[in-house]
Amino acid sequence: MTLRVQILKDKLSQSLGLPFQELLPESAIKQAISELKIKYKKRLFDPIITLWAFLSQVLDTDKSCHNAVSKIIAHLAEEEVEIPSSDTSGYCQARARLPEKLLEKLFNSSAKNLEEQMTEDHLWYGRNIKVIDGSTVSMPDTVENQKEYPQPSSQKPGCGFPIAKIGVIFSLVTGAAVALCIDVLNTHDIKLARKLYSFLKPNDVLLGDRAFCAYADIVTITKLGCDAVFRKHQSRTTTMRKGKIVGDCDKLVTWHKPKRCPKGLSKDEFDALPQSITVREIYYYIVIPGFRTARVSLITTLLDKSTYSTLEVIGLYGKRWDVELDLRHLKTTLGMDILRCKTPSMVRKEIHVYLLAYNLLRSLMWQAGTTYNTPPLRLSLQGTRHHLINFIDKLEAVTLQKRRRIYRTLLKVIVHKPVPDRPARTEPRARKRRPKAYPSMTKPRHELRKQLQTA
């Protein structure tokens, strides 16, 4: 058993582990296990091998447990050791033994380590920009998942899937996810955001859409020593007759404390809010054909117009769209949109592993971009994943010197075809390929089976 474990650790660290050795080396995993005081038995699927196999599983296009176990068997096939069973129960039990806190800690560490590689040249006026947004993920229709993350109330029982709401903060510089919150579907984005503000650091600037533009939240962000740039909530009217005009379509306005305590705030939190705050309001027009929004009103706590000009703030908010692309990478490119685990605990673990794998890919893109003087955000995450998967087999079967040369080649091919910058690109929101003409389920599957049997 000990020999097989060591062989797997060597092979995985040389192949899958090599590109991520700066952010997730074996020593970092062991340190996290030690800090959390996690005890485990000596078996083939110990926490380190299980984690590497889990990462490999979410990075692959075939995300089945059978494929993950098959890779482990293939790693051991050429060695003179006993081959493990192809049954997936041992691996699935090992994944279930992984503590959620361990995966959460490793995810947070991956984001922190990547951000430490940023320099002053990467910042916006010396400020680190973070972007926040919410989304949803679905999961298998099991009793446990339905109880923890109920399906939409508009769907009939047995005809829908459990859905979880996630809130994520991304770094605008690296593209990495830096904070995560998971809750039920009917949770408002702002409730998720209030659980994520603790991950902000002094001098950060937070971008968000109008769902986050609330009086209490702007106060909270400024108390943390940070600033915010949000789109103004639709419930607030826009007029240039009030406030101090500081430029074209740019003014300072005073917001007063709400008369009633908003939902989601305790009475003590509401009482602690100041009676008024001063914010800066900027509005502008979008005249690009095909864009849904014609007029945008921004609210920001960046009050100094001489330092943060109107055009610079507008340009900064224009980059908020990057968070939509980051979420698309997670859900569509990596396949997190539809999860596979059948219990709420495993669902949360799967989400954390997806975000950990996403951050590790971002770290590989960052290293490739900084090595070959290409903006890391202009690199293709899908292309990076393809190159990584194709290079893994080559990395594990060569000498150390040759492995380093192959790794340098990997970085070079990642930057070979950067994604073109296409501002104001417009495409019709329509699909050409028609879906199959199957009807949607309006009854549980067991009732439909009975109809077929009696027909």
Side-chain angles (χ1 to χ4, degrees), residues 238-245 251:
T238 300
T239 174
M240 290 302 291
R241 291 179 295 176
K242 296 181 180 181
K244 178 183 177 182
I245 297 177
K251 62 181 179 178

Side-chain angles (χ1 to χ4, degrees), residues 184-226:
V184 296
L185 175 62
N186 60 358
T187 306
H188 195 280
D189 285 354
I190 207 166
K191 183 178 178 182
L192 295 175
R194 288 167 183 166
K195 297 179 180 179
L196 296 174
Y197 292 150
S198 60
F199 291 92
L200 296 176
K201 299 178 181 178
N203 211 38
D204 283 350
V205 178
L206 184 65
L207 304 182
D209 60 21
R210 54 190 174 191
F212 306 98
C213 188
Y215 185 94
D217 292 73
I218 291 178
V219 171
T220 300
I221 292 170
T222 54
K223 284 184 177 180
L224 293 171
C226 304

Side-chain angles (χ1 to χ4, degrees), residues 424-439:
R425 180 191 182 197
T426 56
E427 292 289 341
R429 298 175 68 88
R431 294 183 300 173
K432 180 179 179 180
R433 190 172 298 279
R434 274 62 171 173
K436 301 295 182 181
Y438 291 115

Side-chain angles (χ1 to χ4, degrees), residues 186-370:
N186 60 358
T187 306
H188 195 280
D189 285 354
I190 207 166
K191 183 178 178 182
L192 295 175
R194 288 167 183 166
K195 297 179 180 179
L196 296 174
Y197 292 150
S198 60
F199 291 92
L200 296 176
K201 299 178 181 178
N203 211 38
D204 283 350
V205 178
L206 184 65
L207 304 182
D209 60 21
R210 54 190 174 191
F212 306 98
C213 188
Y215 185 94
D217 292 73
I218 291 178
V219 171
T220 300
I221 292 170
T222 54
K223 284 184 177 180
L224 293 171
C226 304
D227 284 295
V229 180
F230 296 148
R231 188 177 171 194
K232 189 164 84 169
H233 196 273
Q234 63 271 19
S235 63
R236 289 185 178 270
T237 58
T238 300
T239 174
M240 290 302 291
R241 291 179 295 176
K242 296 181 180 181
K244 178 183 177 182
I245 297 177
V246 294
D248 294 337
C249 304
D250 195 341
K251 62 181 179 178
L252 298 179
V253 296
T254 300
W255 281 10
H256 297 281
K257 180 179 177 179
K259 295 181 180 179
R260 292 181 295 181
C261 180
K263 293 182 179 179
L265 288 182
S266 65
K267 187 177 184 304
D268 292 338
E269 291 172 333
F270 178 69
D271 292 339
L273 294 176
Q275 293 300 316
S276 65
I277 57 173
T278 300
V279 296
R280 183 177 170 192
E281 181 175 350
I282 301 172
Y283 70 89
Y284 59 97
Y285 293 89
I286 299 177
V287 292
I288 302 172
F291 274 53
R292 180 177 58 187
T293 304
R295 172 169 166 157
V296 178
S297 295
L298 301 182
I299 298 297
T300 179
T301 56
L302 300 169
L303 306 182
D304 189 354
K305 186 178 183 297
S306 61
T307 303
Y308 312 104
S309 67
T310 306
L311 290 178
E312 288 291 341
V313 175
I314 292 174
L316 177 63
Y317 185 76
K319 297 179 181 179
R320 190 210 70 84
W321 184 253
D322 286 3
V323 72
E324 307 289 349
L325 302 180
D326 294 336
L327 286 170
R328 187 183 69 180
H329 283 318
L330 271 170
K331 296 177 63 176
T332 304
T333 305
L334 295 184
M336 196 182 78
D337 188 27
I338 301 176
L339 302 173
R340 304 175 65 92
C341 293
K342 298 181 179 181
T343 63
S345 174
M346 283 304 303
V347 162
R348 292 188 290 270
K349 293 177 188 179
E350 189 176 4
I351 293 174
H352 277 100
V353 172
Y354 265 109
L355 267 73
L356 177 58
Y358 169 81
N359 278 358
L360 296 177
L361 285 176
R362 282 293 185 185
S363 72
L364 190 56
M365 295 162 66
W366 180 268
Q367 188 171 4
T370 53

